[in-house]
Amino acid sequence: MNPYMQQQVENMIDQVEMFVEGCHKAALKDDGTKDITEQYTIAEIDRLSQDFIKGLKKIY
């Protein structure tokens, strides 16, 4: 793979991981706990993000 494209894929993986981390922190921001809807949403974000990262890693 073109090294510039590979770097962009790696950057996207890093950004997705930071997004997931930010979502976890944001869910705790208002009251310090995750309610059931926040837990469901975070679980979906985790699952979809991991699927996306897995697909990106198949590229290189």
Side-chain angles (χ1 to χ4, degrees):
M1 172 186 277
N2 173 330
Y4 298 104
M5 290 177 64
Q6 182 173 349
Q7 183 62 47
Q8 290 302 311
V9 170
E10 291 171 2
N11 288 343
M12 180 56 68
I13 291 170
D14 290 341
Q15 290 177 6
V16 171
E17 289 171 346
M18 286 190 305
F19 166 74
V20 171
E21 185 178 327
C23 288
H24 280 272
K25 289 179 181 179
L28 297 173
K29 217 42 166 163
D30 60 342
D31 60 0
T33 62
K34 295 178 189 173
D35 65 27
I36 192 70
T37 58
E38 290 169 332
Q39 290 174 9
Y40 175 77
T41 303
I42 292 292
E44 275 295 291
I45 289 170
D46 286 341
R47 183 184 65 79
L48 293 170
S49 297
Q50 288 305 311
D51 289 347
F52 184 52
I53 289 171
K54 183 179 174 183
L56 288 173
K57 286 183 176 181
K58 286 181 183 178
I59 294 172
Y60 70 98

